């Protein structure tokens, strides 16, 4: 991960994991549909805020990736909010095409886990 130009006031509010990351939930801005979860460090958040495109940190590849650069399934940022604890970002986006690498609209289409009967 590289040095960042993230506004120090924003950086001070973030509570990061031991690897310096914050989970970022991507949500379709007009329907409220939850699309995916990605990870951002300070630089990825800075790039997201300044370019209007979601940039994430790939934990497996150990590099930045801009959603849609290879697939064409772009996320245009409408707003970014930090939760009350400072440990999760909500990124409202206009998703072009599927959000999931499997080709599904959302990464949460693979099955709903229901509570036990009677709950």
């Amino acid at each position: 991960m590289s040095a960042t130009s993230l506004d120090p006031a924003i950086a001070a509010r973030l509570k990061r994991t031991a690897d310096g990351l914050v989970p970022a939930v991507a949500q379709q801005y007009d329907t409220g549909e939850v699309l995916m979860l990605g990870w951002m460090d300070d630089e990825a958040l800075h790039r997201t805020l300044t370019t209007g495109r979601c940039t994430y940190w790939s934990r497996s590849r150990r590099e930045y990736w801009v959603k849609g650069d290879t697939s064409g399934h772009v996320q245009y940022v409408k707003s970014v909010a930090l939760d009350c604890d400072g440990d999760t970002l909500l990124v409202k986006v206009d998703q072009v095409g599927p959000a999931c690498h499997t080709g599904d609209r959302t990464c949460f289409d693979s099955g709903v886990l229901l509570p036990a009967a009677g709950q």
Side-chain angles (χ1 to χ4, degrees):
M1 294 184 250
S2 65
T4 184
S5 300
L6 184 63
D7 180 325
I10 295 171
R13 295 177 60 198
L14 297 176
K15 292 183 186 160
R16 301 161 194 81
T17 66
D19 329 0
L21 302 173
V22 177
V25 176
Q27 179 182 40
Q28 178 64 34
Y29 82 100
D30 55 353
T31 65
E33 180 181 31
V34 176
L35 301 170
M36 61 173 278
L37 172 79
W39 294 90
M40 293 185 183
D41 66 357
D42 289 19
E43 180 61 21
L45 179 55
H46 169 71
R47 293 180 189 187
T48 296
L49 293 170
T50 57
T51 66
R53 299 257 321 268
C54 282
T55 299
Y56 298 100
W57 174 256
S58 171
R59 296 179 302 164
S60 59
R61 295 187 312 265
R62 312 256 344 129
E63 65 185 14
Y64 295 103
W65 58 281
V66 179
K67 182 69 173 166
D69 270 2
T70 56
S71 67
H73 303 149
V74 178
Q75 291 177 342
Y76 295 106
V77 177
K78 297 294 187 174
S79 67
V80 179
L82 186 59
D83 79 341
C84 60
D85 295 321
D87 63 2
T88 305
L89 296 164
L90 177 61
V91 186
K92 292 191 178 184
V93 302
D94 190 8
Q95 175 70 47
V96 176
C100 190
H101 70 279
T102 64
D104 286 336
R105 170 76 181 157
T106 169
C107 293
F108 298 97
D109 278 347
S110 65
V112 176
L113 305 177
L114 298 175
Q119 291 187 12

